[in-house]
């Protein structure tokens, strides 16, 4: 017999050692998977590519600008010599009929910017600033996913705790029902007492079905967010470390800073618009008339004509709206600063609310364990009193319900405190 017992214990130890450990998934992993799975993540790549294309367009503004054209015209009037001069030329044997009314040309215009007054540099800064604004705004939208995932995660933990406590309550009710059935057989209990515990046990099992259904729904929603079936994996209870720093590092603030920087870049563009522009130009065409009008008056054959030079231009019209454009940018920056003040005010309210709830739970939880212990002692005493006929099943049922509620409340408080801490972390982005 001793040998058989040893073999049984050895087998039990081996089974325990090699039994599969239930895998756990963490909150941080869920948040990371949700961000990778959310369709909005694809827009980061789209925004980056759009910025690259815009920068490429700005850089290409320095390339020579080429315009190829062709035209044919017929005019009612053309340059010609006075009749007196034409008569004199006829006597000299030179015929000058003037320009032909039908004119045509095929040509190429070429311009090359030498100095644009800083416009291209300002445009590059604007493109980069707009990219930072779009990226920061995407970051703000992506950050909201974290809150939704955390809410589902903690809702799953709360329902899981509820399930465990209901299972313990059901086990207590089942044990006491079996005790009452034994007492009924011995004639020291009534059938109504057994029926009362049986009815309560059925109600608890109904609550267990509802709790499991709610827990499954939360896990299904969480699985949709992270793009991965959780299945048999359990959710790990996160650590409960309160952030020491009160510094807010939310992406919304980064988006506001990016807007202000974009306004500064646009201000440089306004200043560049009023600067003169310098560039080379060249024109070449084949057609009639050519640059030599005298030759074209006596000869209608087409010719090759080329002209080139340096061009300076200054658009003084930009001065008319310069002041208003600067004021609009200034007001836009002030509006962004106001958005920052509003956000920080609301953020402080959320931070103080989370801190007060954490402080309140710390005080409440100080007595949770003692309450559960006392409720358990009362329930055990009631069970002994029931066997001795001192109390009835109704009194015992009240004690079991009170102990179950105390245990559930303790479990709720533990998870709620961690949830409030993570709400504080979300508020500060820590």
């Amino acid at each position: 017999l001793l040998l058989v017992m040893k073999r049984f214990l050895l087998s039990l130890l081996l089974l325990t050692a090699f039994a599969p450990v239930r895998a756990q998934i963490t909150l941080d992993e869920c948040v990371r998977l949700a961000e990778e799975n959310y369709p909005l993540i694809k827009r980061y790549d789209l925004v980056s590519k759009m910025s690259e294309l815009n920068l490429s367009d700005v850089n290409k503004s320095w390339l020579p600008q080429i315009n190829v054209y062709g035209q044919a015209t017929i005019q009612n009037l053309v340059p010609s010599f006075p009749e007196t001069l034409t008569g004199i030329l006829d006597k000299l044997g030179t015929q000058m009929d003037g320009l032909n009314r039908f004119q045509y040309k095929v040509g190429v215009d070429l311009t090359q910017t030498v100095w644009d007054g800083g416009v291209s540099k300002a445009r590059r800064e604007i493109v980069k600033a707009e990219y930072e604004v779009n990226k920061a705004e995407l970051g703000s939208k992506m950050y909201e996913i974290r809150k939704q995932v955390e809410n589902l995660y903690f809702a799953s933990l709360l329902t899981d705790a509820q399930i465990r406590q209901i299972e313990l309550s059901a086990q207590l009710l089942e044990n006491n029902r079996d005790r009452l059935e034994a007492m009924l057989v011995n004639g020291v209990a009534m059938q109504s007492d057994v029926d009362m515990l049986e009815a309560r046990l059925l109600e608890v099992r109904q609550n267990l079905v509802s709790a499991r259904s709610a827990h499954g729904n939360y896990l299904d929603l969480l699985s949709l967010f992270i793009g991965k079936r959780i299945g048999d994996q359990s959710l790990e209870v996160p650590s409960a470390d309160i952030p020491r720093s009160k510094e807010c590092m939310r992406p919304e603030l980064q988006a506001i800073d990016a807007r202000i920087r974009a306004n500064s870049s646009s201000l440089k563009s306004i200043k560049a618009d009023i600067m003169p522009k310098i560039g080379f130009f060249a024109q070449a065409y084949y057609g009639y008339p050519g640059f030599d009008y005298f030759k074209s008056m006596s000869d209608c054959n087409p010719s090759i004509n080329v002209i080139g030079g340096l061009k300076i231009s200054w658009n003084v019209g930009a001065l008319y709206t310069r002041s208003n454009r600067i004021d609009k940018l200034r007001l836009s920056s002030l509006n962004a600063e106001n958005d920052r003040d509003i956000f920080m005010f609301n953020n402080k309210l959320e931070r103080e609310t989370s801190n007060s709830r954490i402080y309140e739970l710390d005080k409440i939880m100080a007595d949770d364990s003692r309450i559960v212990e006392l409720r358990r002692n009362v329930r055990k005493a009631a069970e002994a009193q029931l066997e001795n006929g001192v109390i009835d099943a109704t009194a015992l049922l009240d004690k079991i319900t009170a102990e179950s509620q105390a245990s559930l409340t303790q479990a709720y408080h533990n998870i709620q405190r961690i949830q409030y801490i993570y709400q504080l972390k979300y508020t500060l982005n820590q």
Side-chain angles (χ1 to χ4, degrees):
L1 180 61
L2 183 60
L3 181 60
V4 172
M5 288 297 296
K6 286 182 178 180
R7 288 179 178 177
F8 174 76
L9 290 175
L10 181 60
S11 301
L12 184 62
L13 289 174
L14 289 174
L15 287 173
T16 304
F18 292 99
V21 179
R22 190 180 181 189
Q24 286 189 324
I25 186 169
T26 65
L27 177 56
D28 292 339
E29 184 180 358
C30 285
V31 172
R32 178 182 59 80
L33 291 173
E35 290 176 347
E36 294 175 355
N37 182 62
Y38 199 65
L40 189 63
I41 192 70
K42 298 178 181 177
R43 197 170 295 180
Y44 277 105
D45 187 47
L46 297 177
V47 168
S48 177
K49 290 181 178 179
M50 183 66 71
S51 178
E52 291 176 1
L53 291 175
N54 290 334
L55 282 174
S56 177
D57 289 341
V58 174
N59 293 330
K60 288 178 181 178
S61 65
W62 285 96
L63 295 176
Q65 304 299 308
I66 301 174
N67 179 39
V68 180
Y69 65 92
Q71 70 177 45
T73 63
I74 185 168
Q75 302 175 206
N76 65 332
L77 294 174
V78 292
S80 62
F81 283 99
E83 293 181 1
T84 304
L85 183 58
T86 303
I88 296 173
L89 292 174
D90 287 341
K91 292 178 181 180
L92 295 174
T94 302
Q95 185 177 0
M96 300 291 287
D97 296 330
L99 292 180
N100 197 319
R101 294 178 185 274
F102 179 72
Q103 300 179 6
Y104 56 92
K105 63 174 67 174
V106 177
V108 177
D109 290 344
L110 184 144
T111 59
Q112 172 63 59
T113 301
V114 177
W115 186 61
D116 63 358
V119 171
S120 58
K121 180 180 179 182
R123 287 178 59 192
R124 278 193 293 269
E125 291 188 11
I126 289 175
V127 170
K128 293 177 181 178
E130 289 177 346
Y131 168 70
E132 293 298 329
V133 170
N134 292 332
K135 188 173 71 170
E137 290 178 350
L138 280 177
S140 300
K141 294 178 181 179
M142 290 294 295
Y143 189 69
E144 295 175 2
I145 299 173
R146 172 179 166 181
K147 184 175 185 179
Q148 299 180 52
V149 171
E150 287 181 355
N151 288 339
L152 289 173
Y153 194 94
F154 283 106
S156 300
L157 287 178
L158 286 171
T159 52
D160 186 52
Q162 182 183 13
I163 290 171
R164 291 197 300 271
Q165 294 304 320
I166 292 176
E167 289 174 343
L168 291 175
S169 298
Q171 187 63 48
L172 279 176
L173 289 169
E174 191 172 347
N175 292 339
N176 282 283
R177 181 204 59 188
D178 295 342
R179 183 182 291 110
L180 279 174
E181 287 178 345
M183 294 171 64
L184 177 63
V185 172
N186 296 326
V188 293
M190 295 184 296
Q191 182 64 46
S192 60
D193 293 334
V194 177
D195 293 342
M196 182 182 299
L197 282 179
E198 181 69 26
R200 180 56 182 161
L201 178 59
L202 293 175
E203 291 175 357
V204 169
R205 287 174 176 171
Q206 287 179 335
N207 294 336
L208 183 59
V209 171
S210 299
R212 285 173 175 170
S213 176
H215 183 64
N217 291 335
Y218 287 131
L219 289 180
D220 289 341
L221 290 174
L222 189 58
S223 297
L224 287 175
F225 260 99
I226 67 177
K228 174 184 177 181
R229 188 69 186 171
I230 294 178
D232 294 334
Q233 296 183 89
S234 63
L235 303 183
E236 182 182 75
V237 179
S239 60
D241 299 327
I242 300 177
R244 295 182 179 180
S245 173
K246 295 183 179 180
E247 182 182 3
C248 181
M249 297 180 289
R250 290 281 291 270
E252 291 89 343
L253 297 178
Q254 299 175 14
I256 292 173
D257 292 337
R259 286 164 51 192
I260 295 175
R261 289 194 298 269
N263 289 336
S264 299
S265 299
S266 298
L267 181 61
K268 295 179 181 178
S269 176
I270 294 174
K271 295 178 179 179
D273 286 341
I274 64 172
M275 301 298 291
K277 313 298 187 292
I278 302 175
F280 291 113
F281 75 95
Q283 295 178 341
Y285 73 88
Y286 176 76
Y288 173 85
F291 290 149
D292 189 346
Y293 270 25
F294 286 104
K295 182 178 180 182
S296 297
M297 288 180 181
S298 60
D299 184 1
C300 292
N301 292 324
S303 60
I304 297 176
N305 304 271
V306 180
I307 185 175
L310 184 67
K311 181 179 180 181
I312 300 177
S313 61
W314 187 16
N315 180 18
V316 295
L319 292 171
Y320 304 152
T321 59
R322 179 177 182 272
S323 178
N324 287 344
R325 293 171 66 187
I326 291 176
D327 287 342
K328 288 179 182 178
L329 289 177
R330 180 179 59 83
L331 292 175
S332 178
S333 295
L334 290 175
N335 187 54
E337 292 289 354
N338 183 249
D339 288 343
R340 186 205 304 277
D341 294 338
I342 294 173
F343 179 83
M344 291 303 297
F345 180 82
N346 293 330
N347 187 268
K348 184 177 181 180
L349 291 180
E350 294 175 4
R351 185 171 69 246
E352 293 301 324
T353 300
S354 297
N355 281 325
S356 63
R357 287 175 176 174
I358 294 171
Y359 177 73
E360 177 186 357
L361 279 174
D362 284 340
K363 295 180 67 177
I364 292 175
M365 290 172 62
D367 297 324
D368 274 349
S369 298
R370 181 57 177 163
I371 292 173
V372 171
E373 181 183 358
L374 293 174
R375 291 294 186 188
R376 184 178 296 113
N377 293 338
V378 170
R379 187 260 305 167
K380 290 180 179 179
E383 289 175 347
Q385 291 172 351
L386 178 66
E387 291 181 354
N388 295 325
V390 178
I391 62 172
D392 57 10
T394 302
L396 174 62
L397 188 58
D398 292 339
K399 305 301 185 291
I400 294 175
T401 302
E403 180 190 356
S404 299
Q405 186 60 45
S407 299
L408 183 59
T409 301
Q410 183 186 30
Y412 271 19
H413 286 166
N414 287 330
I415 297 175
Q416 284 177 339
R417 182 178 182 275
I418 299 174
Q419 185 175 13
Y420 288 140
I421 290 174
Y422 270 81
Q423 286 180 1
L424 179 59
K425 291 181 176 181
Y426 176 84
T427 302
L428 299 174
N429 189 24
Q430 294 186 16

